[in-house]
Amino acid sequence: IEDNELIALSVYPNPVNDLFTISLAETFSFKLIDLQGKIILNGTATDQKTLSIEHLAQGTYVLQVRNETGTSTVQIVKQ
């Protein structure tokens, strides 16, 4: 799943072991969702946010990042 309206969005590393970073040069909100639709993490940040997912099981998650101009969805793989 990759739907990137937010051209300047960067999410790294992916696949992820414990930590990943969302980078977008403005204020944004984010949601990390499992494949059952449950919101695991959410919040807001400006420019950059590093998230820990060490407590999550291995598998695929969906990251939604939204700002004033649009929304992007990125598939995150936890190893």
Side-chain angles (χ1 to χ4, degrees):
I1 301 171
E2 286 212 25
D3 174 17
N4 288 325
E5 290 180 24
L6 307 178
I7 302 302
L9 174 65
S10 180
V11 178
Y12 57 90
N14 192 13
V16 180
N17 289 320
D18 295 328
L19 300 172
F20 72 94
T21 300
I22 305 166
S23 181
L24 183 64
E26 55 195 289
T27 300
F28 60 89
S29 63
F30 62 88
K31 291 181 189 175
L32 186 67
I33 304 165
D34 68 17
L35 294 182
Q36 288 73 43
K38 179 181 174 189
I39 297 173
I40 306 296
L41 295 168
N42 63 14
T44 59
T46 300
D47 298 333
Q48 187 169 303
K49 178 73 175 179
T50 298
L51 299 172
S52 171
I53 59 170
E54 62 186 335
H55 63 285
L56 298 180
Q58 291 182 351
T60 302
Y61 298 84
V62 175
L63 177 69
Q64 290 181 344
V65 180
R66 176 173 295 161
N67 69 4
E68 292 179 357
T69 61
T71 302
S72 287
T73 304
V74 179
Q75 182 175 294
I76 300 291
V77 178
K78 167 74 160 73
Q79 294 185 326

